[in-house]
Amino acid sequence: MNLDLAHFTPFASLAGGLMIGAAAALLVLCNGRVAGISGIVGTLLQGARTEPGGRAWRVAFVAGLAAAPWLWRLVFGAGSAGLSPTIAASPATLIVAGLLVGLGTRYGSGCTSGHGVCGIARGSLRSFAATGVFMAAGFVTVYAVRHLAGG
């Protein structure tokens, strides 16, 4: 195993983790809601009826997620902290991967943000189990794609 020191960004990663944790904590403290992205987006896409103002905060939350990389780029520049990723996958592979992730969030009753960030912070045993399964599936997938499939 080789560590790619050119792309090793512990301070940017720590800052990102702290911001995610702070955003999740603020949402639960101010709004009483868990920052589970799949639940937030799913509610918007289904057009489900929500509490008064429920649609507005969800739209603002998703808009903030979409705007964050652009804001970072505007403030810190295009090449900062690995903001120009290269994805070595075809569009078809990305679509299939996205669909599989969506399917997994339905079966797992949530995503890594809801279970891994918020659920574990609340001490939820179900979230510990779900996050362990998410991580194990990711490890197995990377190993299979990179080592068994000749990637």
Side-chain angles (χ1 to χ4, degrees), residues 63-78 80 83:
L65 288 175
W70 298 100
L71 181 61
W72 179 276
R73 187 178 192 144
L74 179 70
V75 173
F76 295 105
S80 63
L83 236 175

Side-chain angles (χ1 to χ4, degrees), residues 15-78:
L18 290 172
M19 287 189 282
I20 289 169
L26 283 171
L27 186 61
V28 80
L29 290 172
C30 297
N31 220 5
R33 297 294 183 170
V34 172
I37 309 308
S38 64
I40 292 169
V41 172
T43 300
L44 285 174
L45 293 178
Q46 292 172 1
R49 299 189 89 191
T50 62
E51 72 282 359
R55 186 167 179 75
W57 75 260
R58 285 176 174 87
V59 168
F61 192 92
V62 173
L65 288 175
W70 298 100
L71 181 61
W72 179 276
R73 187 178 192 144
L74 179 70
V75 173
F76 295 105

Side-chain angles (χ1 to χ4, degrees), residues 125-138:
L125 294 178
R126 187 176 87 158
S127 291
F128 276 101
T131 303
V133 170
F134 296 156
M135 296 303 292

